[in-house]
Amino acid sequence: TNYCLDYDDRVITTGNMSAYLKIAEGCSNNCTYCAIPMIRGKFVSRKMEDILNEARGLAKKGIKEIIVIAQDTTKYGIDLYGEYKLAELLNKICEIDGIEWIRFLYAYPESITDELIDTVKSQDKICNYFDIPIQHFSDRVLKRMNRKSTSSQIDELLFKIRSKIPDAIIRTSLIVGFPDETEEDFEKLFNFVKKAKFEHLGTFEYSKEDGTPAAKLKNQIHYRTKQSRYKKIMELQQKIAIENLLEKKNKKFKVLIESVTADDKFYVGRSYMEAPDTDGFILVKKEKDTDLIDKFIGVKIIDVNGYDLIGIQEEE
């Protein structure tokens, strides 16, 4: 049977311009807090040709932004081809006519290769956007989570990305209140967030997942402690996010317009800096009688409003 058939006539629910492209199922990382390997099984890559056929089909339908996803995109190919193949896959998607933006989500830090970073740097179609779930920065906690990176490796990776791609946007996710997380562990995480200045950051309070090794660990953290740690990280990140946004003032970006605000005064769009559904937006002042929905336009940023940027249309 042709494995591709499942994907040929899929219904796209993410608007006219963007579509998710799933490149693997399941996960073999076995982080101690996560039930996904039990629910979805081990990591299984799709054949590269199947993925490329689906991407070509999406391009024919007018899709301009491909968002490559898996539980861990960076492990793509290891089971099928015996080596990491994400960089090669992305290079091949870049060759498809019609696609203007490519981004890949959930890149685990230990498998982000130099080849992958160089591919993002050299390919204009690939957004300079890295979604790297690191979960923590205390080596003690990382080990108990069964994460494969150490704090120094995470530091080194972020330094490498930022020095090779100065305008890279980095998103991460963290867990606070993991069993036996001490004040000292939390301080390490807090100080790291202060230093790393992530553009986007999501934090979760640890919650027990039935059947996971972490649910059985001793020294589960009191919910009030979790809440207070969560609040501290989010308040810190709020300041960092605003500082990062203010740096964008007077700069120009290519923006994909997706909708208009209810009062019809602004277009709502995204640049390479914002992934759909997770990050902020760029609000662009709407001139009368223009219809720019589903178009890419040049925008100059003039202001910041909360987690969103405000801009005016400019010729690119």
Side-chain angles (χ1 to χ4, degrees), residues 111 123 158 167 188 196 249 260 275-276:
S111 22
Q123 288 282 15
L158 297 185
D167 67 347
K188 282 182 181 162
K249 270 176 90 162
V260 287

Coordinates of all heavy atoms in Angstrom, one line a residue, residues 111 123 158 167 188 196 249 260 275-276:
S111 N 20.6 17.0 19.9 CA 20.8 16.6 18.5 C 20.7 17.7 17.5 O 20.5 17.5 16.3 CB 19.7 15.5 18.1 OG 18.6 15.5 19.0
Q123 N 20.1 28.9 4.2 CA 18.9 28.8 3.4 C 17.9 30.0 3.7 O 17.4 30.1 4.8 CB 18.1 27.5 3.6 CG 18.9 26.3 3.0 CD 18.7 26.1 1.5 OE1 18.2 27.0 0.8 NE2 19.0 24.9 1.0
L158 N 23.4 27.5 22.7 CA 22.8 28.8 22.5 C 23.8 29.9 22.0 O 23.6 30.7 21.1 CB 22.2 29.3 23.8 CG 21.0 28.5 24.3 CD1 20.4 29.1 25.5 CD2 19.9 28.2 23.3
D167 N 20.4 37.2 14.3 CA 19.0 37.5 14.4 C 18.1 36.3 14.7 O 16.9 36.3 14.6 CB 18.5 38.3 13.2 CG 18.4 37.4 12.0 OD1 19.0 36.3 12.0 OD2 17.8 37.8 11.0
K188 N 19.5 28.3 39.8 CA 20.3 28.0 38.6 C 19.4 28.3 37.4 O 19.8 28.9 36.4 CB 20.8 26.6 38.6 CG 22.0 26.4 39.5 CD 22.5 25.0 39.4 CE 23.7 24.8 40.4 NZ 24.0 23.4 40.7
A196 N 20.0 34.1 29.4 CA 19.7 33.6 28.0 C 18.9 34.6 27.2 O 18.9 34.6 26.0 CB 19.1 32.3 28.1
K249 N 12.0 47.9 17.3 CA 11.4 49.2 16.8 C 12.3 49.8 15.7 O 13.5 49.7 15.8 CB 11.3 50.2 18.0 CG 10.0 50.1 18.7 CD 9.9 51.1 19.8 CE 9.4 52.4 19.4 NZ 8.9 53.2 20.6
V260 N -7.8 40.3 10.1 CA -7.9 41.7 10.6 C -8.5 41.7 12.0 O -9.2 40.8 12.4 CB -8.8 42.6 9.7 CG1 -8.2 42.9 8.4 CG2 -10.2 41.9 9.5
A275 N 5.9 31.9 15.5 CA 5.3 30.7 15.0 C 3.8 30.8 15.3 O 3.4 31.4 16.2 CB 5.8 29.4 15.7
P276 N 2.9 30.1 14.4 CA 1.5 30.2 14.7 C 1.1 29.6 16.0 O 1.7 28.6 16.4 CB 0.9 29.5 13.5 CG 2.0 28.7 12.9 CD 3.3 29.3 13.3

